[in-house]
Amino acid sequence: MESIVGRTAAALEGLRARAPRIHCITNTVAQNFTANVLLALGAVPSMTVAPQEVPGFVKSAQGLLVNLGTVDDERRASIPLAFQAAGDAGLGVVLDPVLANRSRARLDLALECLAMGPAIVRANAEEAAALSGGLGPREFAVAANTTLALTGPVDLVVNGTSAYEVRHGHSLMARITAMGCAASAVAAAFLAVEKDPAIAGAAALTVMGVAGEEAAQASRGPGSFVPAFLDTLYSLDAGRLWAAEETA
Amino acid sequence: MESIVGRTAAALEGLRARAPRIHCITNTVAQNFTANVLLALGAVPSMTVAPQEVPGFVKSAQGLLVNLGTVDDERRASIPLAFQAAGDAGLGVVLDPVLANRSRARLDLALECLAMGPAIVRANAEEAAALSGGLGPREFAVAANTTLALTGPVDLVVNGTSAYEVRHGHSLMARITAMGCAASAVAAAFLAVEKDPAIAGAAALTVMGVAGEEAAQASRGPGSFVPAFLDTLYSLDAGRLWAAEETA
Amino acid sequence: MESIVGRTAAALEGLRARAPRIHCITNTVAQNFTANVLLALGAVPSMTVAPQEVPGFVKSAQGLLVNLGTVDDERRASIPLAFQAAGDAGLGVVLDPVLANRSRARLDLALECLAMGPAIVRANAEEAAALSGGLGPREFAVAANTTLALTGPVDLVVNGTSAYEVRHGHSLMARITAMGCAASAVAAAFLAVEKDPAIAGAAALTVMGVAGEEAAQASRGPGSFVPAFLDTLYSLDAGRLWAAEETA
């Protein structure tokens, strides 16, 4: 495994230069924080879930996130339309199978989405286990023909040809809702400027993790962590990414 | 009336040790803040409102909140399923009849929910008056066979056998949306570790009130209050609960 | 064009004295921040979108915002009911045609809403261009018989008889989601206490802009900007409005 800090720094610079539009079909708990994370990084979010509107928004976007939290009937109807529009426009999709381990209906929907061919699946260990039926990360990624971005104490981004570990982050990140959802949106933003999905996924998790480490230093708990985290995303640069890598 | 600080401290310790899963059918305005309040305290929120998913989520949870803000068709369909699943699993339900005083349709729904047997009803004076048809707090609680957690300048938690006053909180709390909704979610979290609903309700309001007092000291207005409040919930302990009780 | 600082200060004082209830049909991304902005200023938000409830909430409110972000079927059904109830109650409506430039379905809905007679349309340049079919701001306002509050580097509030420029604000405001949505809600709050829609719109944008300037001074990025902005709205007064005008 190789360091992806250089590629991360380049992708971050590209993201800020291009300000990609990222359409997010995501849950109502995560929408506000996800939008602010994308804006802090330099991307431009949109969030409608109406089936009448989703194809038009996706076609004029540079990236698409499909997140399965709080999936209502409109989201259910819009998700296949969104995948279709992304395919037509040549956009890779990031799938976040939130809590697929907690309900059979959720897992079935996640499996349907997996069959639609996401470029990246961002999941935690419980979600990935439910989705993969017990396969290991790489075996699952190969079988599903996708890139798995598995988050945990150490993140792993893996597909049939590449594997990257990301050893950044802070325990406070588990005490803030939608942090994983936002990481998936950030992966969609990086995928708009970095076509290798393993690099895009690892870059996203590196940026989230390094920002989390800096924010934890500047905060007194999960409340003050949130503004510190967004401030850090806004100002993060190559120098700080390299410094974090050296102390990791 | 007796001090419930000792029971509150024990329940808070129990909550952090057990990290109960709390399913919240709550309004879209309150979801993010409610989830962050629960996470800061040590509970684990879930928030889906889809009828296909709610029974599964409730059955694998240790507590349930039903909040009537922004009730759409899916929430309407899910609420009876959630009460049923909670009953099957032996979970007490917390009902928050948000703004039941502002619309006849909302009040009718609140009365239907009341008939489903919530363990705790958390309401402000206007909501409780609409719901009770003019009965006093204790009379209403007895008639509805529930525990009423009535929030205001002084909170009152009352049922047929117990009554507790909570004299904590700060006026800034009325300037932050979803503070009452979050208090109801916290009551559901305490009910997961403290089976006496009057104690659970009083513990929740004590924790919210003491955290509000500390956060007000550390903030310059309603904006900085929010992160300070979450930081306080995260670090609050028995010593600070007792200190707040002595200065109240 | 004349300074509207005096009228803004008077309207802000009136808003705090009357604490108007503002019903907001707004998108799920913006709901929490919009509610907190209104509460910080002294208004009282409600946010239900259920068709059964909207007429009752609007009739007992003093202002109405209709925002077209994340418009689902319930919002689509509720919007005409809300305009009707506002008309019956003599309330002026603020319309925010969010991203009407991004989808034909969204633009069609925005045009339908425009035909329902909003007192104020708050839009950015792209949205206004889509809505007006290429007319200039004043020509559009006259043709649509409304007041256009056009936000950008310099804001313009214009109708058939008045025109005000607002030269306040900060570039960080574009890095925080729902800032424009919140400005529209604030316009609805000012319209509850100031019957001239051009003054109400200009007062809203002045308050938002001056608060943005103060918050930018007190923050290190878009994360810390949000609490600083809400704190500033809460404490803003005539003296600081005049001081900001002199340094603008």
Side-chain angles (χ1 to χ4, degrees), chain C residues 181-229:
Chain C
C181 300
S184 300
V186 170
F190 275 106
L191 197 56
V193 294
E194 164 57 66
K195 291 308 168 192
D196 181 332
I199 299 283
L205 298 182
T206 299
V207 163
M208 293 291 285
V210 171
E213 291 164 1
E214 286 199 19
Q217 293 298 318
S219 61
R220 290 177 305 281
S224 50
F225 182 94
V226 169
F229 182 74

Side-chain angles (χ1 to χ4, degrees), chain C residues 95 97 119-124 127-129 131-132 135-142 145-151 155-160 162 164 197-198 201 205:
Chain C
L95 173 66
I120 297 175
V121 176
R122 207 287 311 161
N124 65 29
E127 294 157 354
L131 213 56
S132 70
L135 292 178
R138 176 160 244 156
E139 290 69 29
F140 168 64
V142 169
N145 193 26
T146 192
T147 295
L148 176 64
L150 187 66
T151 47
D155 303 328
L156 174 66
V157 183
V158 64
N159 60 24
S162 306
Y164 300 96
L205 298 182

